Amino acid sequence: MKAKIEALLNEVAAFATDSKEELEQYRLKYLSKKGIIPSLFGEFKNVAPEFRKEMGQALNNLKNAAQTKFNEIQSHIEENTTDDTDNGDLSLPIDFEKLGSRHPLSIVRNQIIDIFSRIGFTVSEGPEIEDDFHNFTALNFPQEHPARDMQDTFFIEKNPDIALRTHTSSVQVRVMENSKPPIRTISPGRVFRNEAISARAHCIFHQVEGLYVDKDVSFADLKQTLLYFARELFGEHTKIRLRPSYFPFTEPSAEMDISCNICGGKGCNICKYTGWVEILGCGMVDPNVLDNCGINSKEYTGFAFGMGIERITMLKYQIDDIRLFFENNKRFLKQFDAAL
Ligand code: PHE
């Protein structure tokens, strides 16, 4: 029996093939139930007790060698087999790398621009680092007037005449200085206020402000423009209401609420059970502002409005923490893919 096992070991070691059929022959011959190796195990009971240990080891050895050989050849054959029928459809376009999604603030800013451009508003931009005149003085904030405290400002330490703009009304001053009415423009952009960061406020945020100056522009024009805007952005059933307010650069001034887009005005925790949410400030441009910017206030009137893009985006998508916009968390940003 010993000699038989040794002969078989040599046969197994010498066996080689690339063919599946030959490998199957090998398996049947040596390893299958009726194969040589299992039948040797059957003969084991006839081995004299004093040789059993040695024979047992030799048999197991042979079995392992034969099985290992089989496994090696089998995986080698699988690796080298290319199945001609499994190439898929070669005429399909390649799988493009997935591109990043647009930031929710960009999505909403673009929607706002689109809505106003449909009624003739152009887009204007200006510097984020502003001088006192364009951010405050031209807009009718008197020197040392407490109204300047309405917006906590980041001033440049070495030159208190220079500050990070607190609103994009500064851009509208520049437009009025450099062009003649009729003026119809919106100014989207980043603004800065020295505020403690919380779920509801950030020291950096974005605005879209709008300005319309022409002969005979009235408060009714303002109201109708804002109603159109609210319905385009939040849906055709949206209602608006204007509450009296104060801004140095508009007179009269108002704040605009829309009927809550979450509960439809019935009352929920987003609108604090009032049915209304505030989205922007607006008013008729103060004649002093027109004059400061070289526009004759006897001849022209205008309206202006301004809104925070973060606030509107939070309302639109029910986002409850403004800090999420600035964290670059992929799981947050990915959700807006479909919103494009
Ligand atoms: N500039 C104001 C702000 O930043 C918004 C505003 C613009 C209000 C125009 C009225 C008219 O809060």
Side-chain angles (χ1 to χ4, degrees):
M1 188 164 182
K2 206 178 162 193
K4 219 172 175 182
I5 292 175
E6 248 159 50
L8 284 168
L9 256 178
N10 288 337
E11 273 180 48
V12 164
F15 179 73
T17 183
D18 280 336
S19 127
K20 265 189 178 175
E21 289 75 31
E22 278 179 30
L23 182 66
E24 179 59 8
Q25 292 305 323
Y26 166 92
R27 189 187 70 80
L28 289 171
K29 181 174 175 191
Y30 296 101
L31 293 165
S32 69
K33 258 189 196 163
K34 290 185 182 154
I36 300 175
I37 295 172
S39 69
L40 278 178
F41 274 95
E43 286 171 28
F44 187 67
K45 60 181 182 293
N46 305 328
V47 173
E50 63 268 35
F51 296 121
R52 281 206 174 149
K53 191 173 172 206
E54 193 190 349
M55 275 312 134
Q57 276 171 358
L59 258 179
N60 275 326
N61 206 6
L62 171 65
K63 188 183 149 202
N64 290 340
Q67 186 66 47
T68 308
K69 183 68 151 206
F70 174 82
N71 294 348
E72 276 171 12
I73 295 178
Q74 192 184 40
S75 59
H76 186 252
I77 290 176
E78 273 170 11
E79 269 170 31
N80 290 298
T81 307
T82 48
D83 186 347
D84 287 345
T85 61
D86 196 24
N87 280 338
D89 181 352
L90 293 178
S91 66
L92 282 176
I94 56 163
D95 236 355
F96 286 106
E97 275 295 308
K98 184 122 185 47
L99 295 177
S101 54
R102 220 182 270 294
H103 194 281
L105 293 177
S106 302
I107 294 172
V108 172
R109 182 203 51 206
N110 291 346
Q111 283 174 348
I112 297 173
I113 292 175
D114 190 50
I115 290 169
F116 282 106
S117 67
R118 274 184 256 142
I119 52 171
F121 281 77
T122 59
V123 173
S124 27
E125 288 180 346
E128 293 183 344
I129 301 172
E130 261 301 0
D131 52 41
D132 179 275
F133 178 78
H134 290 93
N135 198 79
F136 292 121
T137 305
L139 288 160
N140 208 28
F141 287 81
Q143 289 293 338
E144 314 300 335
H145 192 282
R148 289 190 189 224
D149 293 340
M150 273 171 73
Q151 300 168 349
D152 298 319
T153 309
F154 286 115
F155 288 100
I156 306 294
E157 220 173 290
K158 285 190 180 146
N159 183 354
D161 191 48
I162 307 288
L164 299 181
R165 68 180 178 196
T166 59
H167 50 186
T168 58
S169 304
S170 54
V171 179
Q172 311 189 346
V173 172
R174 290 178 179 275
V175 172
M176 285 190 279
E177 284 176 328
N178 296 315
S179 48
K180 286 200 168 63
I183 294 169
R184 237 178 310 183
T185 193
I186 52 171
S187 41
R190 188 160 58 157
V191 300
F192 309 84
R193 292 186 195 175
N194 191 0
E195 284 188 33
I197 297 171
S198 70
R200 318 209 91 235
H202 209 288
C203 59
I204 300 176
F205 61 100
H206 299 78
Q207 282 190 326
V208 178
E209 296 217 354
L211 173 74
Y212 177 27
V213 180
D214 201 352
K215 289 189 169 129
D216 301 324
V217 175
S218 72
F219 201 92
D221 296 324
L222 169 63
K223 215 174 148 184
Q224 197 58 32
T225 304
L226 293 180
L227 178 63
Y228 155 79
F229 163 70
R231 289 192 170 161
E232 289 294 305
L233 194 63
F234 289 102
E236 56 178 339
H237 299 298
T238 309
K239 297 194 197 69
I240 62 165
R241 78 174 180 190
L242 294 166
R243 286 178 288 103
S245 184
Y246 171 75
F247 300 101
F249 32 88
T250 46
E251 181 60 35
S253 305
E255 267 161 339
M256 185 177 96
D257 300 338
I258 55 164
S259 51
C260 179
N261 64 313
I262 309 298
C263 63
K266 287 191 201 76
C268 66
N269 62 349
I270 302 286
C271 62
K272 302 201 190 77
Y273 300 93
T274 63
W276 297 94
V277 282
E278 184 201 317
I279 63 160
L280 56 80
C282 60
M284 300 306 291
V285 181
D286 191 301
N288 288 342
V289 174
L290 295 175
D291 291 333
N292 289 343
C293 301
I295 291 174
N296 185 350
S297 62
K298 303 256 171 348
E299 207 181 332
Y300 295 103
T301 52
F303 68 64
F305 56 85
M307 65 191 99
I309 304 179
E310 279 77 0
R311 175 160 179 76
I312 290 186
T313 309
M314 288 168 83
L315 283 172
K316 243 182 112 81
Y317 296 116
Q318 298 182 44
I319 297 165
D320 59 7
D321 193 325
I322 196 172
R323 291 170 289 200
L324 287 164
F325 292 126
F326 304 98
E327 277 168 5
N328 284 336
N329 178 333
K330 272 182 155 179
R331 287 177 58 230
F332 171 71
L333 296 172
K334 245 171 51 185
Q335 301 175 72
F336 300 92
D337 266 3
L340 272 172

